[in-house]
Amino acid sequence: MRKLNRVELVTETLRTALEEVARTNEEWLAPLVTVGWAERYGRPVRYDRLPRSKEKLAAHVLQVGEDGMSLLRAVHQEGAPRRLRLLPQVQVLRQVWVQQFWYDAAGQLGWRGPKDRHDRLSRRDAPRRSDGPGEGSPGIGTARVPWSREEIVTPHDAEARFAHRPGKAAWVGYKDHQTETCDGTGPNVIVHVVTQPAPEQDVSVLESIHHALGRRDLLPAEHLVDSGYVTPAAILRATTAYGVTVLGPVRLVSPRQHRPGFDKKDFHIDWDRHTATCPRGVTSPPWKTTRLDGQTSHSVLFPRAACRECADRQSCTGNADGRGRHHILMPRPLQEIQNHARIEQETHAWQARYAMRAGCEATVSETVHAHGLRQCRYRGLAKVHVQHVLTAAGANVVRLSGCFPPGTAPPRPARPLTPFQRLCRNSTAKRAS
């Protein structure tokens, strides 16, 4: 089970305290139940999604704090059953609230807040797994893997350890790539699993997935993937070699290169004359061929004098020293694919098609939380891959066991309500009546 962050921790602490108080004395807790408690504390917090914006998240955690304070005041007031304040869950609630909340001079509830914007320890400060004996110990070899710039010293598995600094090999682990069906004709099942060292890029495994699916006659007409698998070269390769349409968000312009003015797609590219024309009608000199990240590219540089006199210079070039606008273009097929994909993925039709991939994220959550996918029980790429395959097979068995022909599904009894859920339902019914 994944580790809860601080907001989820305080919410889950209050939920467990409410559940135990309701189980001990449901009648005493009934007057305290307010509107919204069933939605916030009706089920474990791991099944809910917290607000995304900072303002809504701060309002949520302060509301949780007020609800917890009302419960603590009630159990400690005169006349309350003594056994309630002695419950272990209530004692934990009091300790957590002392650590997380306080009242300022104006009587307003405050929250300690996260230490950093990620609300968790950074990777640099997190405790690391021991790397074992030193470099000179017997049985320890030095290995170099293609995705590492430095040496890796490890007594067990060089493929799963990585560090940019010599002698500081940190455990990284492996990455599981799952491919499942989503045609809607039956239960979605996982049909292919790939295991690779975690530092490798996702896009590097896409072609091997298509090759493996093609050998088993399982190639889809349209493959919905995450943005990490999508590049113009990957889209072109999948279409020409396998006849598969890769559907996924192409990476947009990075925030460092983004400008409020003209984007690359606003320029007219003349591939025959090797020139580009900006929206203001200025044409660049013929571009120069260069190599970027080992691939052939085209460097387009507009005249400095023309850009210096342009009224849109500041928003277009993004600099104040008068330099001309500079573009890096990929080869024509790749550049056209990138431009077309960036425009198309902003449309509602594309987003509706891509919404089918939401089920893939649910599959990842199922295999991680229900089947312990991230708890590696073996060392070595081959053994870990066997674990990933068995995990996928187990998930398929669970899904297929609940699949019955239409009209033959046995009746499934409803899950019994917890005392707190039953209390919230009764309170809602009384208000409605």
Side-chain angles (χ1 to χ4, degrees):
M1 185 179 298
R2 66 181 178 86
K3 182 180 179 181
L4 300 181
N5 60 35
R6 198 170 302 164
V7 180
E8 294 172 330
L9 175 63
V10 296
T11 307
E12 185 66 14
T13 302
L14 178 56
R15 188 195 68 82
T16 54
L18 289 172
E19 286 285 0
E20 189 62 25
V21 172
R23 186 177 294 106
T24 304
N25 196 331
E26 184 174 339
E27 296 180 358
W28 179 88
L29 183 62
L32 297 179
V33 177
T34 61
V35 178
W37 278 26
E39 181 180 356
R40 288 193 293 271
Y41 317 116
R43 61 178 187 172
V45 70
R46 65 178 180 272
Y47 296 126
D48 295 324
R49 176 173 293 180
L50 295 175
R52 294 296 184 90
S53 64
K54 293 183 178 180
E55 295 77 11
K56 294 182 179 179
L57 188 63
H60 169 80
V61 72
L62 290 178
Q63 183 61 56
V64 173
E66 291 288 358
D67 296 339
M69 292 300 299
S70 64
L71 178 63
L72 290 174
R73 292 193 189 98
V75 298
H76 286 87
Q77 69 181 359
E78 185 178 357
R82 184 173 181 272
R83 66 180 182 274
L84 295 182
R85 69 175 69 101
L86 297 180
L87 292 174
Q89 291 80 359
V90 175
Q91 294 294 324
V92 172
L93 175 68
R94 178 181 177 277
Q95 182 178 358
V96 171
W97 254 239
V98 168
Q99 296 173 351
Q100 300 293 335
F101 298 97
W102 74 90
Y103 284 99
D104 57 16
Q108 297 294 328
L109 185 69
W111 181 48
R112 186 163 65 93
K115 293 182 179 180
D116 55 21
R117 62 178 182 175
H118 296 293
D119 195 14
R120 57 174 61 93
L121 289 176
S122 64
R123 184 181 295 272
R124 178 180 301 175
D125 298 331
R128 297 187 181 275
R129 186 176 301 190
S130 175
D131 293 331
E135 183 175 357
S137 301
I140 299 180
T142 301
R144 179 177 294 277
V145 292
W147 37 263
S148 172
R149 298 197 303 265
E150 304 293 349
E151 297 289 341
I152 293 178
V153 181
T154 167
H156 301 294
D157 191 0
E159 295 174 328
R161 290 175 179 256
F162 167 76
H164 287 295
R165 294 179 296 174
K168 298 293 183 179
W171 179 267
V172 175
Y174 300 97
K175 190 182 300 182
D176 180 27
H177 303 269
Q178 304 170 351
T179 305
E180 68 170 341
T181 60
C182 60
D183 53 6
T185 59
N188 296 337
V189 294
I190 302 174
V191 296
H192 186 64
V193 175
V194 175
T195 305
Q196 66 173 174
E200 291 189 9
Q201 299 295 324
D202 293 342
V203 69
S204 63
V205 78
L206 185 62
E207 184 173 356
S208 64
I209 293 176
H210 289 161
H211 181 69
L213 293 177
R215 290 188 302 173
R216 300 163 55 193
D217 197 20
L218 292 175
L219 275 176
E222 191 173 62
H223 194 179
L224 280 67
V225 296
D226 195 1
S227 59
Y229 299 86
V230 183
T231 63
I235 296 175
L236 181 62
R237 177 65 178 171
T239 304
T240 56
Y242 302 99
V244 176
T245 301
V246 175
L247 185 65
V250 176
R251 187 180 64 176
L252 301 176
V253 180
S254 63
R256 181 178 299 179
Q257 298 176 348
H258 178 71
R259 302 181 180 89
F262 305 126
D263 196 2
K264 186 185 299 184
K265 62 179 181 295
D266 300 323
F267 289 74
H268 174 71
I269 308 300
D270 191 338
W271 295 99
D272 297 329
R273 298 185 179 181
H274 296 180
T275 59
T277 303
C278 76
R280 297 307 182 197
V282 178
T283 301
S284 70
W287 61 55
K288 297 181 180 179
T289 301
T290 182
R291 293 190 65 84
L292 184 64
D293 295 335
Q295 298 181 355
T296 302
S297 304
H298 307 301
S299 176
V300 183
L301 182 62
F302 282 82
R304 177 179 298 184
C307 291
R308 186 181 296 137
E309 299 174 358
C310 181
D312 298 318
R313 174 183 59 82
Q314 188 61 34
S315 61
C316 178
T317 62
N319 60 75
D321 55 0
R323 290 181 294 180
R325 181 67 182 266
H326 184 218
H327 281 314
I328 295 294
L329 300 178
M330 294 180 289
R332 182 172 185 175
L334 303 182
Q335 189 63 53
E336 291 178 347
I337 289 175
Q338 184 186 66
N339 294 341
H340 176 73
R342 286 180 174 177
I343 296 174
E344 187 181 18
Q345 67 191 28
E346 300 296 331
T347 63
H348 293 289
W350 186 94
Q351 294 172 3
R353 291 164 56 199
Y354 190 67
M356 294 180 61
R357 196 186 171 275
C360 299
E361 299 298 335
T363 299
V364 174
S365 178
E366 176 187 356
T367 53
V368 169
H369 296 149
H371 306 300
L373 180 67
R374 289 178 181 163
Q375 299 298 323
C376 186
R377 294 169 174 83
Y378 308 99
R379 296 179 186 267
L381 183 62
K383 294 182 179 180
V384 174
H385 177 64
V386 172
Q387 175 183 335
H388 290 170
V389 172
L390 294 177
T391 302
N396 289 340
V397 170
V398 172
R399 294 182 179 184
L400 294 175
S401 64
C403 180
F404 299 90
T408 62
R412 177 178 296 179
R415 178 177 297 178
L417 298 177
T418 64
F420 179 72
Q421 292 173 341
R422 183 172 57 251
L423 179 61
C424 291
R425 175 174 293 185
N426 295 337
S427 300
T428 304
K430 290 181 180 179
R431 295 190 187 96
S433 60

